């Protein structure tokens, strides 16, 4: 079947359902990417699901969605930041809420409520609990499509966390051999990153569903992988007693240090954009880093801000 030529679409333009369906019919490639609500062509364009349709987000369009947490008046709250406006994310009745990652409309995190820590999935209007069976502490830390990763522990295992993958119905443990403590922090497709405590050291790992591969920056033996996007993995490491961030592309490590900071935490990645936090002058601030420039993300009135996920 021959389909008529489509008109060009520009940055910020809404796509009708008919246009999206037309793209899906044209190529299986487009169909697969649109099904996942994320289409990336190089680093220039992406398609993400919105509340009322689909929006084209092009390079330079100035549109992104960052989640994190801020401490205001001694209370921790989650937030969504679009580059100009902060929107609070507060689990109902919780004393603390932390937002950790975002994919399309969906945000994951964890909240302290009723004496336990519970993970959650938030779709912009509704919170859905994510609680590992029998656990008193469940933290949802990363999301990609319908898959969520995190860490959990039980009262009788006060110092022991184990990683998990949750597909909406089933929890699957993620525990590298020999690990006494495991956190699964980020996911992209079938690849999961995190860290495991082995022989007293935190070691970053990449897990593809069957094999664990250690990720060890040459400048550190104590490290933590936090986020993944395609081949690129970000995290944090202790280098000569100072906490720094890193970007790993599968072959090369690049150290990331916020200017003037004594701590840099790199926590999330989407395309060429990286988010995290840095301590400067004793105060923690969030940041967006595009490979050359750091842009501060500071929640108004907060004593500390951390940016943890971007989508």
């Amino acid at each position: 079947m021959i389909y008529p030529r489509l008109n060009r679409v520009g940055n910020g333009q809404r796509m009708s359902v008919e246009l999206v369906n037309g793209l899906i019919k044209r190529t299986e490639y487009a169909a697969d990417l649109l099904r996942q609500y994320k289409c990336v062509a190089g680093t220039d364009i992406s398609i993400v699901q919105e509340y009322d349709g689909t929006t084209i987000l092009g390079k330079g369009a100035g549109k992104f969605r960052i989640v994190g947490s801020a401490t205001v008046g001694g209370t921790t709250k989650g937030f969504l930041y679009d580059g100009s406006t902060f929107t609070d994310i507060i689990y109902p009745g919780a004393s603390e809420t932390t937002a950790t990652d975002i994919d399309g409309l969906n945000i994951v995190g964890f909240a302290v409520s009723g004496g336990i820590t519970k993970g959650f999935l938030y779709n912009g209007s509704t919170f859905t609990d994510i609680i590992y069976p029998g656990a008193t502490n469940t933290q949802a830390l990363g999301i990609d499509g319908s898959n969520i990763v995190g860490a959990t522990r039980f009262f009788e295992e006060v110092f022991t966390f184990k990683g998990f993958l949750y597909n909406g119905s089933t929890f699957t443990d993620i525990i590298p051999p020999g690990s006494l403590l495991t956190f699964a922090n980020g996911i992209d497709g079938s690849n999961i990153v995190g860290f495991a405590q082995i022989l007293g050291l935190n070691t970053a790992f990449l897990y593809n569903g069957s094999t664990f591969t250690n990720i060890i920056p040459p400048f550190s033996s104590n490290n933590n992988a936090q986020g993944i996007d395609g081949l690129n993995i970000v995290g944090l490491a202790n280098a000569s007693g100072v906490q720094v961030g890193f970007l790993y592309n599968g072959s090369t490590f690049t150290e990331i240090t916020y200017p003037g900071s004594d701590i840099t935490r790199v926590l999330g990645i989407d395309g060429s954009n990286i988010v995290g936090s840095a301590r400067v002058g004793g105060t923690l601030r969030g940041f967006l880093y595009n490979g050359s420039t750091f842009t501060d993300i500071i929640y108004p009135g907060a004593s500390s801000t951390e940016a943890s996920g971007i989508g």
Side-chain angles (χ1 to χ4, degrees):
M1 180 178 294
I2 298 175
Y3 293 97
R5 183 177 181 273
L6 294 176
N7 293 327
R8 280 184 180 272
V9 292
N11 288 337
Q13 180 178 339
R14 294 238 185 257
M15 294 170 60
S16 66
V17 171
E18 289 76 17
L19 180 54
V20 173
N21 286 336
L23 287 171
I24 291 174
K25 290 178 181 179
R26 277 166 172 76
T27 65
E28 290 183 359
Y29 176 67
D32 180 62
L33 294 176
L34 286 170
R35 178 183 58 80
Q36 299 177 56
Y37 303 117
K38 182 188 290 183
C39 172
V40 177
T43 58
D44 292 329
I45 186 170
S46 65
I47 298 176
V48 297
Q49 186 187 26
E50 293 286 358
Y51 288 96
D52 54 354
T54 302
T55 300
I56 297 294
L57 302 181
K59 188 174 182 179
K63 293 188 176 183
F64 51 79
R65 292 158 64 84
I66 294 171
V67 295
S69 57
T71 301
V72 181
T75 300
T76 300
K77 62 172 73 177
F79 65 76
L80 170 66
Y81 178 61
D82 65 2
S84 60
T85 303
F86 288 90
T87 302
D88 288 349
I89 300 171
I90 301 175
Y91 185 99
S95 57
E96 295 182 9
T97 305
T98 301
T100 55
D101 199 15
I102 181 170
D103 184 44
L105 293 181
N106 294 318
I107 296 168
V108 294
F110 56 92
V112 179
S113 177
I116 68 170
T117 299
K118 58 179 71 176
F120 65 75
L121 169 66
Y122 179 61
N123 65 3
S125 59
T126 304
F127 287 89
T128 301
D129 287 349
I130 300 171
I131 302 175
Y132 190 102
T136 55
N137 188 321
T138 305
Q139 300 178 21
L141 302 174
I143 181 171
D144 183 47
S146 61
N147 292 317
I148 294 169
V149 294
T152 186
R153 72 178 180 188
F154 301 81
F155 268 136
E156 64 271 19
E157 300 170 342
V158 176
F159 300 107
T160 302
F161 276 89
K162 62 180 175 181
F164 67 77
L165 168 66
Y166 179 62
N167 64 5
S169 59
T170 303
F171 287 89
T172 302
D173 289 348
I174 300 173
I175 306 174
S179 174
L180 297 178
L181 180 148
T182 306
F183 275 71
N185 294 322
I187 180 170
D188 185 34
S190 60
N191 293 317
I192 295 169
V193 295
F195 79 94
Q197 190 176 90
I198 301 174
L199 299 177
L201 291 176
N202 291 342
T203 301
F205 67 77
L206 168 66
Y207 178 60
N208 64 5
S210 59
T211 303
F212 288 92
T213 302
N214 290 341
I215 301 168
I216 304 177
F219 45 81
S220 172
S221 58
N222 200 15
N223 45 77
N224 181 347
Q226 287 282 340
I228 181 170
D229 185 36
L231 295 177
N232 294 316
I233 296 170
V234 295
L236 46 102
N238 287 324
S240 301
V242 177
Q243 192 172 88
V244 301
F246 70 79
L247 168 66
Y248 178 58
N249 64 5
S251 60
T252 303
F253 287 90
T254 302
E255 185 176 322
I256 299 172
T257 303
Y258 184 102
S261 70
D262 58 358
I263 290 177
T264 302
R265 293 167 49 83
V266 175
L267 303 175
I269 181 171
D270 183 51
S272 60
N273 292 315
I274 292 170
V275 294
S277 61
R279 190 173 69 182
V280 180
T283 301
L284 198 66
R285 65 180 67 185
F287 66 74
L288 169 67
Y289 178 61
N290 64 5
S292 59
T293 304
F294 288 90
T295 301
D296 287 346
I297 299 172
I298 301 175
Y299 187 99
S303 58
S304 70
T305 306
E306 185 160 78
S308 54
I310 181 169

